Amino acid sequence: PAMPSTKGSTMRLFAASLATETNTFSPIPTSRSSFEEFFYAPAGQHPEDPKLCSAPLLVARRRAVREGFTLIEGSSFWAEPSGTVDRASYESMRDEILDQLKQSLPIDGVLMGFHGAFVADGYDDAEGDMLERIRALVGRNCVVGCEYDPHCHLTEKRVSLADLSVLFKEYPHIDFMERGEELVTLVLRTIKGEINPVASLYDPRLIDFYPTTTEPMRGFVDHLKTLESRDGILSISIAHGFAHGDVLDMGSRVLVYTDQRKTDGDRLAREIGDRLWENRGTWSPRPVALPAALDEALSSDDDLVIIAEPTDNAGGGATSDNTLSLHALRERQARNVAVAPIWDPVAVSFCHKVGPGARLTMRLGGNAAPGGPSPVDAHLEVIGVAEDTWQYFGDALVPVGDAAAVRIDNGIDVILIANRTQAFGLELFTHLGLSPTAYRLLVLKSAQHFVGAFGPLARRIIRAETGGCCPTDPRNHAYTNVARPLWPLDDNVEGRHLI
């Protein structure tokens, strides 16, 4: 049953966040402790600094003060991408937020911060499960709005259960606060009766990689932005999809909201989907084999070159301790190069015990991923240590934990971290007293998010295949649950309207 409205008095909104990106091929287990170790804010305790998937809560907090509505804040959870979440952990976090929502009724609107690729044991569509339970509590008259990362599985179920869903437009995701503002504005306008959003969801049946820092995706996203707020178009989102999640609805999708102009929304969603299909495989340069990447990067001594390791990207659920690139640099006797970051809490603790200037023989990396390259054994020098460090990702602070820098073979520096995360910000180096511009080559374990901070420093960026559980070609995954046909797994593919 629909809950009684409070619109005649003070408008009441509830906001919370439950988010992670699940790589179902990752060897790293995920439990509630994974969330609590990285980011957990109990009800009413979210810090003032923004977080990737809880922007709706923070935006609503600031606007409630200015605009005079009441905001009830629930809990916020985030875990670094890793493997499938255990059932009990998901249910405990879900039910914590649902209990808070139940205690907040009656309510006019719900704002949820999701990632959109959360997979738990028994719940391939965890966000859909949560929205189903939210809708059962608040009824159909309550306006439910969700913000998602574009690397989500945009299922028909969740779009049907929510009134509004807004995805980040940028990759790297520098616009999560901007999209949070967009979502809150649309939800408030819907509650006030100013608009009546209608969804159009189109599935072009493909999976691809869409960085927005380069053409053609840069210009395409800019064009889509010009279409919003014209001809009844309220919002346009492209779900890039998350290829490392073996679930039924994996793949790219297009979501358009219009103000009661369903036919126009369907046509536009299909046009965008057709554009994605027509340019499939061309939105981004393909990664190259590591030997070819090193040949290109080391052929010149001028300026800085970056080799990215998307296949060992912690941001996609990988271990970030793959040593293939480090072995290859040693074999080539490379000099004035750095690899960052390698996740190795034991090595970090050893470095902190002895401090800068110490020399010791130590094993690095190669510990967490079965079947990966062997660890690197080296006599090395500790050149920097730092406690409880962090790095910027846009305006957000990402905890790195204790960190250390070591130099091996008199020319290869390695940044070691205690908290598994990808390369986002220059602070990975500067907190250890190092300058990233002092090197001729940086090897960064990330797929795209490093570009915001490191990209302006580099003459060239090369993406290389180095092994790990995040292959850039989805045909290298052994899928069992993905709905087929789906390009590039299949050739005979035809798009479809879902909503």
Side-chain angles (χ1 to χ4, degrees):
M3 295 303 301
S5 173
T6 63
K7 282 178 278 189
S9 54
T10 301
M11 190 188 304
R12 292 168 55 83
L13 272 67
F14 175 87
S17 179
L18 178 56
T20 192
E21 184 180 54
T22 301
N23 183 329
T24 57
F25 303 97
S26 173
I28 302 172
T30 313
S31 67
R32 178 164 177 144
S33 65
S34 307
F35 293 80
E36 293 176 345
E37 289 168 4
F38 205 86
F39 178 68
Y40 168 50
Q45 297 184 36
H46 193 291
E48 279 296 324
D49 61 292
K51 306 298 178 184
L52 181 68
C53 289
S54 59
L57 185 151
L58 197 57
V59 168
R61 175 192 288 174
R62 296 170 181 176
R63 291 182 60 168
V65 175
R66 299 197 309 264
E67 300 174 29
F69 61 84
T70 298
L71 177 68
I72 300 94
E73 298 184 8
S75 297
S76 293
F77 297 89
W78 166 260
E80 276 293 274
S82 48
T84 301
V85 182
D86 76 90
R87 187 185 189 108
S89 291
Y90 164 62
E91 291 178 345
S92 72
M93 294 183 290
R94 176 199 69 190
D95 292 348
E96 178 176 323
I97 292 172
L98 291 174
D99 287 345
Q100 294 162 350
L101 174 59
K102 188 174 182 179
Q103 295 300 314
S104 303
L105 299 175
I107 209 84
D108 297 299
V110 174
L111 298 165
M112 289 301 304
F114 290 130
H115 178 283
F118 191 130
V119 180
D121 181 24
Y123 300 94
D124 280 1
D125 183 6
E127 291 88 351
D129 170 70
M130 186 155 192
L131 284 169
E132 188 172 49
R133 296 169 189 273
I134 288 172
R135 188 58 80 184
L137 283 175
V138 302
R140 289 304 315 185
N141 289 342
C142 179
V143 178
V144 177
C146 308
E147 184 178 26
Y148 292 99
D149 186 299
H151 297 106
C152 63
H153 312 301
L154 196 57
T155 70
E156 184 178 354
K157 179 177 181 178
R158 11 178 135 153
V159 175
S160 298
L161 287 166
D163 296 279
L164 290 153
S165 297
V166 172
L167 280 61
F168 314 155
K169 284 182 169 61
E170 302 293 342
Y171 181 36
H173 307 322
I174 57 175
D175 63 330
F176 56 91
M177 286 296 288
E178 186 178 353
R179 299 285 76 78
E181 290 279 1
E182 176 185 337
L183 177 68
V184 173
T185 295
L186 291 172
V187 166
L188 292 174
R189 292 187 66 198
T190 304
I191 293 171
K192 295 172 183 176
E194 297 174 1
I195 55 173
N196 186 2
V198 177
S200 297
L201 180 64
Y202 184 77
D203 179 5
R205 306 302 298 130
L206 64 92
I207 181 70
D208 213 338
F209 187 71
Y210 309 96
T212 61
T213 51
T214 56
E215 298 296 345
M217 196 64 182
R218 175 71 267 145
F220 190 41
V221 169
D222 290 340
H223 170 65
L224 296 182
K225 288 180 179 180
T226 67
L227 299 180
E228 292 178 319
S229 301
R230 290 167 44 185
D231 301 323
I233 300 168
L234 301 174
S235 176
I236 302 171
S237 294
I238 296 177
H240 299 192
F242 184 58
H244 312 307
D246 184 13
V247 296
L248 183 69
D249 290 280
M250 187 273 284
S252 304
R253 291 186 176 176
V254 180
L255 178 62
V256 174
Y257 284 98
T258 58
D259 190 4
Q260 300 188 80
R261 300 183 66 167
K262 174 68 171 164
T263 301
D264 292 342
D266 289 350
R267 182 174 59 252
L268 179 58
R270 170 116 195 200
E271 289 174 358
I272 296 170
D274 288 346
R275 177 75 179 274
L276 296 179
W277 173 258
E278 291 162 3
N279 290 276
R280 64 195 183 279
T282 69
W283 296 103
S284 165
R286 299 291 98 179
V288 299
L290 181 61
L294 289 173
D295 287 344
E296 181 178 351
L298 298 175
S299 62
S300 171
D301 292 332
D302 298 331
D303 301 321
L304 173 66
V305 176
I306 292 174
I307 293 178
E309 293 192 53
T311 58
D312 192 36
N313 171 28
T319 57
S320 196
D321 74 340
N322 185 294
T323 56
L324 187 66
S325 59
L326 191 51
H327 280 298
L329 289 168
R330 298 190 77 191
E331 289 169 4
R332 291 176 181 243
Q333 300 181 343
R335 295 291 181 267
N336 198 27
V337 303
V339 179
I342 286 182
W343 178 49
D344 195 331
V346 173
V348 171
S349 69
F350 286 178
C351 292
H352 278 251
K353 285 181 183 294
V354 297
R359 297 180 179 273
L360 66 164
T361 300
M362 194 164 63
R363 172 162 287 192
L364 305 177
N367 296 307
S374 63
V376 168
D377 294 332
H379 187 68
L380 53 82
E381 178 188 1
V382 179
I383 59 174
V385 296
E387 296 182 352
D388 196 23
T389 63
W390 47 267
Q391 56 181 328
Y392 273 115
F393 175 33
D395 293 330
L397 294 178
V398 178
V400 173
D402 290 349
V406 299
R407 181 165 294 159
I408 61 178
D409 300 342
N410 296 315
I412 303 172
D413 293 355
V414 184
I415 307 300
L416 304 166
I417 58 173
N419 291 357
R420 185 180 58 90
T421 188
Q422 65 179 298
F424 287 116
L426 307 182
E427 296 77 20
L428 279 175
F429 290 84
T430 58
H431 284 175
L432 291 162
L434 304 173
S435 170
T437 58
Y439 300 93
R440 63 183 294 203
L441 170 63
L442 298 179
V443 179
L444 301 179
K445 291 183 178 289
S446 179
Q448 172 69 2
H449 288 320
F450 70 92
V451 174
F454 290 92
L457 309 179
R459 171 172 56 89
R460 190 180 313 168
I461 295 174
I462 309 165
R463 290 175 174 82
E465 294 276 358
T466 59
C469 65
C470 297
T472 53
D473 188 340
R475 290 171 292 188
N476 292 328
H477 276 315
Y479 297 111
T480 59
N481 299 315
V482 171
R484 307 284 290 270
L486 183 75
W487 186 89
L489 309 179
D490 308 288
D491 293 320
N492 186 20
V493 176
E494 186 175 345
R496 56 182 178 169
H497 279 288
L498 297 176
I499 295 177

